Each structure stands twice: as structure tokens, then as C-alpha cells.
Amino acid sequence: MTIIQLGALPEAFAALKGGSVQAAVLPPPFSTEAMRQGMVQLIDFNQSDIEFIGVGLTSTARFVSTHDDVTRRVVRALVEGIWAFKGNREATLRAIEKYTRLTDRNLLEETYQSNRKVVRLAPRTTEAAVRNVLEALADQNPKARGANPQDFYTNRFIDDLEQTGFMRELAARYPDALR
């Protein structure tokens, strides 16, 4: 099997639809449209117990150590965006519609619900998720096999948001996010 990078999700969907690849990892709304067109979902990663980092906020250790306040503010804004996403369904649906250019209400709803299930209010990185990424990279990069997962992430900024009461503040501002 050969795994190739196809670009963004629209390109991956187009390649699958056009027959130039036999499988692609597609989240809603692309997965929904693929199934509407008769394709078959092989794995629903949202329903699996596999921890893996697919998308994350990433920086260099040097930048984080020299720009602590900037990093803290970016993480804070991202977390507040997550709470707003989960806590204000209609505004979120309008944003999804705007940025995906979709108008099909069912596709918009499925996209929202699918993402709402997997996005955590406190987006912590786990050691298991990093370990699984390292294992996946080990064949291409032997150094990954012996690497310590804890060297690749920090939850310090999320911990700070919880300890300062910011998460409680968000819970009061976006109560629907907890439902």
C-alpha cells in the first residue's frame, strides 16, 4: 500500500471520487457526500478508541519558551473558540456554511454534530496519542521509535486555564457547550 499526501480535503475527496486513489480519510461534510455517492465508510475514527493526533496547535519549543504570554493568549483564544463552537450551535452552523460554502442544512448539521462529539472543551494532548504518532512514523524515521512522547507536548497552558478559573468562566458564558 502506498500512502500519499493529496493536499486539502477537497483534493482528497476529488481524488477518491475520480478514482485516482482507493481510500481517503475524510471528515464530514466530505464523508457524508462520499457515502451519498455510494462510497463505503471503512472506519469511523470518531467512534474508535484509537488515540492519535490528527490536528493540533503546534509551535517550536524555542518560541514557546521565549514567548510565553503570546502562547498563553493563543491557547486561551483557541479554547474560547471551542467553547463558543460547542455552545452556540446556530452561529457555528453559519460559520461552517460560510467557510465550506455548503448550503445543504443536513450536511451542515452532520458536520457540526460530528465535530462537536470529538472536540474536547479542554483540548489536552495525551501521551498515548503522541506515542501512536511516533509508532506510525517509526518506519520512515527510526529515531521516532525510541523517542519519549512527553518530549513532544505540553498541557501547561490548558492546566493554567483551569487553575485560573477561565474554564469555569467559559462554562458560565456557554452553558450549552456542556450539553
Side-chain angles (χ1 to χ4, degrees):
M1 170 176 53
T2 302
I3 298 175
I4 57 172
Q5 174 63 40
L6 296 166
L9 293 170
E11 290 81 12
F13 178 61
L16 183 62
K17 196 165 106 174
S20 45
V21 298
Q22 286 70 48
V25 176
L26 300 171
F30 300 100
S31 60
T32 304
E33 188 56 32
M35 287 184 287
R36 280 186 182 169
Q37 293 183 22
M39 296 176 211
V40 178
Q41 185 175 49
L42 301 173
I43 299 171
D44 182 349
F45 288 109
N46 293 343
Q47 301 300 317
S48 78
D49 292 332
I50 300 168
E51 289 190 55
F52 200 86
I53 298 172
V55 177
L57 179 62
T58 306
S59 183
T60 64
R62 181 174 184 215
F63 182 89
V64 171
S65 68
T66 58
H67 296 87
D68 187 79
D69 188 55
V70 171
T71 306
R72 185 175 317 287
R73 286 184 294 158
V74 169
V75 171
R76 181 182 169 110
L78 176 68
V79 169
E80 184 168 358
I82 290 169
W83 280 78
F85 161 81
K86 288 186 128 180
N88 191 337
R89 185 175 152 275
E90 286 305 317
T92 301
L93 288 171
R94 286 191 302 274
I96 294 169
E97 181 177 9
K98 177 180 177 179
Y99 292 105
T100 62
R101 296 187 184 112
L102 294 172
T103 56
D104 182 317
R105 183 66 181 206
N106 291 333
L107 278 177
L108 293 170
E109 286 283 351
E110 183 171 336
T111 301
Y112 173 73
Q113 291 302 331
S114 176
N115 285 291
R116 193 177 195 290
K117 281 184 221 171
V118 297
V119 174
R120 296 179 307 229
L121 293 171
R124 293 182 182 286
T125 300
T126 66
E127 184 174 340
V130 175
R131 187 179 312 105
N132 287 336
V133 170
L134 291 170
E135 287 175 14
L137 294 172
D139 286 342
Q140 296 169 331
N141 184 345
K143 290 180 183 178
R145 187 167 281 109
N148 180 358
Q150 293 177 352
D151 292 343
F152 294 91
Y153 72 97
T154 181
N155 285 314
R156 174 171 57 103
F157 299 100
I158 300 296
D159 293 342
D160 289 351
L161 292 177
E162 289 180 334
Q163 291 166 3
T164 61
F166 185 64
M167 298 295 202
R168 284 189 303 280
E169 180 186 318
L170 291 174
R173 196 176 332 154
Y174 302 104
D176 287 345
L178 297 168
R179 294 185 176 92

